[in-house]
Amino acid sequence: MIALTVALAVLVGVTLGLLGGGGSILTVPLLAYVAGMDAKEAIATSLLVVGVTSAVGAISHARAGRVQWRTGLLFGLAGMVGAYGGGLLSRFIPGTVLLLAFAVMMIATAVAMLRGRKNTNAADGGDRAMPIGKILLDGVVVGLVTGLVGAGGGFLVVPALALLGGLPMPIAVGTSLIVIAMKSFAGLGGYLSNVQIDWRLAAMVTGAAVVGSLIGGRLTSLVDPETLRKSFGWFVLIMSSVILAQEIHPGVGIATAAITLIAGVTAYACNRSEHCPLQRFGAHSRTSVATG
């Protein structure tokens, strides 16, 4: 199973490289259900994988000038406090509860990816600094979630940086990688006080994910990011139903998968129809956001 785990870790890394985030949501299920780790060891190991992979990805963004260091470091330091606290708090929470919380995070991540990210142009306030109070509060909350369940990185950080800070999307993504790396390592530190991890396997999975992320970065120009993002969102929803089936009851997982399938078919049919009422609702929502 080690060989399969490492091979799948490469695919997780490719997803990270292609999407610029989101692939980490697959790391915990990979470690828990393929590598056979218990819930807390899987979450702790995933924090190592996500931290290293994000740090490597941040290098290219920093070289291209797509990192706002003041915001990133402040958000990251606050996130480290929250993540370390979350890692310590995890010792009092059963592994099953953590996995269920992780499934909820998967669903939230999938919904965020299916909805997409609102682009923010530099002319709309890209140079505007985020208020320090908001940076610290958001950092602690996001860090706490990350430290507890080993996820909730980019899809929480990027909107906060883009919407609250007014950062352009490329800079929000690049800055978020710094934040994710910092709070992932802090969350790992909190877990290591009460969880032992297999460092050999963790190093192999981390190395494979880094290689995959570099490959994914090279493939970005060959893949339609919109199609990939939505496909990944639906896939994560299916994966969340697997966890719910494992941890609660097969019926819950089947029901979740059925709802996902119906929603997917509806979305596909709606996208192919010019008269779908859901499209008019979505256009009205986007207009309201733009004018508000």
Side-chain angles (χ1 to χ4, degrees):
M1 296 299 284
I2 293 180
L4 179 60
T5 300
V6 173
L8 292 176
V10 174
L11 296 180
V12 170
V14 170
T15 305
L16 279 165
L18 282 170
L19 297 174
S24 60
I25 205 73
L26 300 178
T27 307
V28 170
L30 169 64
L31 296 172
Y33 300 119
V34 179
M37 295 182 181
D38 65 48
K40 294 185 179 182
E41 183 184 4
I43 291 173
T45 305
S46 76
L47 289 169
L48 173 65
V49 176
V50 171
V52 173
T53 307
S54 298
V56 171
I59 294 175
S60 61
H61 285 274
R63 288 177 175 174
R66 295 192 295 265
V67 173
Q68 189 174 98
W69 290 101
R70 172 187 173 274
T71 299
L73 291 176
L74 284 174
F75 203 119
L77 288 172
M80 290 177 75
V81 174
Y84 186 78
L88 292 177
L89 185 61
S90 67
R91 74 174 68 184
F92 305 109
I93 303 176
T96 298
V97 175
L98 291 175
L99 282 176
L100 290 176
F102 186 84
V104 172
M105 296 300 295
M106 291 182 76
I107 294 172
T109 297
V111 170
M113 298 192 80
L114 290 170
R115 291 181 60 188
R117 293 166 173 169
K118 190 182 90 168
N119 198 7
T120 307
N121 296 320
D124 297 328
D127 295 328
R128 176 165 53 89
M130 288 180 67
I132 292 180
K134 288 186 177 180
I135 295 176
L136 297 179
L137 178 61
D138 284 357
V140 171
V141 172
V142 172
L144 181 66
V145 173
T146 300
L148 276 173
V149 301
F155 92 98
L156 288 175
V157 177
V158 171
L161 295 174
L163 299 179
L164 293 179
L167 300 184
M169 278 303 300
I171 296 179
V173 170
T175 304
S176 75
L177 292 174
I178 299 294
V179 176
I180 293 167
M182 293 174 67
K183 61 191 181 63
S184 294
F185 290 133
L188 174 62
Y191 263 92
L192 290 180
S193 65
N194 62 91
V195 174
Q196 295 293 323
I197 69 175
D198 184 342
W199 288 102
R200 176 175 171 272
L201 179 57
M204 294 171 64
V205 172
T206 301
V210 169
V211 170
S213 69
L214 296 176
I215 296 173
R218 295 297 183 94
L219 296 176
T220 302
S221 61
L222 305 177
V223 181
D224 177 21
E226 185 74 5
T227 301
L228 179 68
R229 176 180 55 78
K230 289 186 176 181
S231 299
F232 182 77
W234 291 116
F235 178 69
V236 170
L237 279 177
I238 294 295
M239 288 297 298
S240 69
S241 68
V242 173
I243 294 180
L244 292 175
Q246 290 277 348
E247 303 300 330
I248 300 181
H249 188 275
V252 177
I254 293 172
T256 305
I259 293 172
T260 300
L261 179 61
I262 293 171
V265 171
T266 302
Y268 177 78
C270 191
N271 287 335
R272 297 177 66 86
S273 172
E274 296 180 357
H275 306 290
C276 177
L278 293 179
Q279 284 191 349
R280 292 195 294 271
F281 176 77
H284 174 72
S285 298
R286 287 190 295 270
T287 302
S288 299
V289 171
T291 57

